[in-house]
Every structure is written in C-alpha cells, then in structure tokens.
Amino acid sequence: MSQAIKIVVGSKNPVKINAAKHIFAMYFPEHIIECSGVHAPSDVPDQPIGEEQTCLGAQNRVNYCKAQHQADYYIAMEGGAAQFSYGAATFAYVVIDDGAQQVTGRSSNLPLPSVFYNALLQGEELGDVMDKAFNTTNIKQQGGAIGLLTDHHATRESTYTQALTLAMAPFLNPILYNQ
C-alpha cells in the first residue's frame, strides 16, 4: 500500500488545488496524494499590489493553514501585480511549508497593459478586469489573465505549477539547503 501525502492548500480555487496536486504527484509518483483546499485569509488586499504585499499574502495563508489543519505540506499561492522599471506585470508568490521549513518561490512576470494595471490601482481585481475586457466569467478559476493574454499557450495553473516546481528544490535536496 502506498503511503499518502496530505496537502492543505490555502485556497478553494480549483486552479490552485490542481497545481499543488500536480506537483506532488510528479515528485512523489509512488505516493497517494491527498490534496484539499481550505479558506485561508491572506490578510492583504484582495488585489495585492507590489511584491512585498503579494508575498506576505501567500505566507499568511500558509501560516493560517498550519495553525488550523494537520498535513504533511501546506501550500499557498498569491497573485499580485506591480509596476516595474520596464512596465506593469502580474505574477504570483508561492509558499510551501512542511512544518519544519518554509520555502517561498515566485512565478515569472506576465506584462500587463497599462489600462489593466491602472484599474488594479483603482481597487479592481485582475480577474474582474479580465472578465470585463474579454467578456468572460470567473476567469480566475480557469485560465486567468495569463490564458487570455497568451492565447492559452500558458495558464494561471501552468504558472503556479512552474513556481511550485522550483520552490520544491529545498525539500528534494535538504542536505544541500540546510548546510
């Protein structure tokens, strides 16, 4: 009988839950992956602006999950946006915690049109901005802005998957990372 790995994701968004499950199934194919999503407050605005706020949101979600649930791993993903020297972009921070160590990772940037970023600065959420611009419904639980702006060659889930894949490195190589 395969040993189960229990994962709690700090969100009920199926995109985030699927990304976490995919990563653990890939890294631990001999295990049963029990992955569930729970409501976990980010304690940052619904649309985080800036890297610091976005990262804090993911950390807060993971810490809430650790305090409220029993699992082998706790995972959170927080999408945000920022103005960089080269233009506005959206990105995500991911946090993975196994109770002994907490690892933070970050996705790549997706350039954002200025008109979209300005709407975020006015208090709108990116998903709502995208739904209006592309006449979609609840795109944040589907391909996200990433899917719409890349003609679905990338998706919100693929971006979380990449960031989580990289953030797993310290868990896979503990001797190297804990020297």
Side-chain angles (χ1 to χ4, degrees):
M1 179 88 180
S2 298
Q3 185 181 355
I5 296 176
K6 184 175 180 186
I7 302 158
V8 172
V9 178
S11 175
K12 292 195 170 210
N13 186 325
V15 169
K16 294 179 179 184
I17 297 165
N18 290 339
K21 188 170 186 170
H22 174 83
I23 290 312
F24 278 83
M26 179 182 74
Y27 277 127
F28 303 104
E30 71 285 359
H31 290 78
I32 296 164
I33 307 303
E34 297 174 359
C35 189
S36 60
V38 299
H39 171 73
S42 67
D43 294 326
V44 299
D46 289 342
Q47 179 57 68
I49 300 294
E51 292 188 280
E52 189 175 325
Q53 202 174 71
T54 307
C55 184
L56 180 62
Q59 291 167 337
N60 288 344
R61 289 180 194 272
V62 157
N63 292 335
Y64 177 88
C65 289
K66 277 175 56 178
Q68 301 294 323
H69 301 277
Q70 281 298 120
D72 298 305
Y73 290 89
Y74 306 91
I75 298 177
M77 292 151 256
E78 189 75 29
Q83 180 69 49
F84 297 96
S85 60
Y86 49 83
T90 184
F91 51 85
Y93 271 91
V94 300
V95 177
I96 305 171
D97 193 310
D98 68 355
Q101 70 176 330
Q102 190 171 98
V103 176
T104 300
R106 188 187 179 288
S107 75
S108 50
N109 278 355
L110 171 70
L112 277 181
S114 295
V115 65
F116 291 1
Y117 184 69
N118 291 338
L120 304 184
L121 294 178
Q122 298 302 313
E124 291 189 62
E125 281 190 67
L126 184 56
D128 297 335
V129 171
M130 298 308 295
D131 282 341
K132 283 184 214 164
F134 287 86
N135 197 27
T136 53
T137 303
N138 199 17
I139 197 65
K140 70 181 184 179
Q141 292 199 354
Q142 301 164 47
I146 295 159
L148 292 173
L149 292 172
T150 65
D151 287 340
H152 304 284
H153 290 287
T155 63
R156 193 170 187 211
E157 186 173 330
S158 72
T159 299
Y160 291 143
T161 299
Q162 181 197 44
L164 290 167
T165 298
L166 300 179
M168 282 294 292
F171 297 103
L172 303 172
N173 300 282
I175 294 168
L176 292 172
Y177 285 89
N178 294 324
Q179 322 189 19

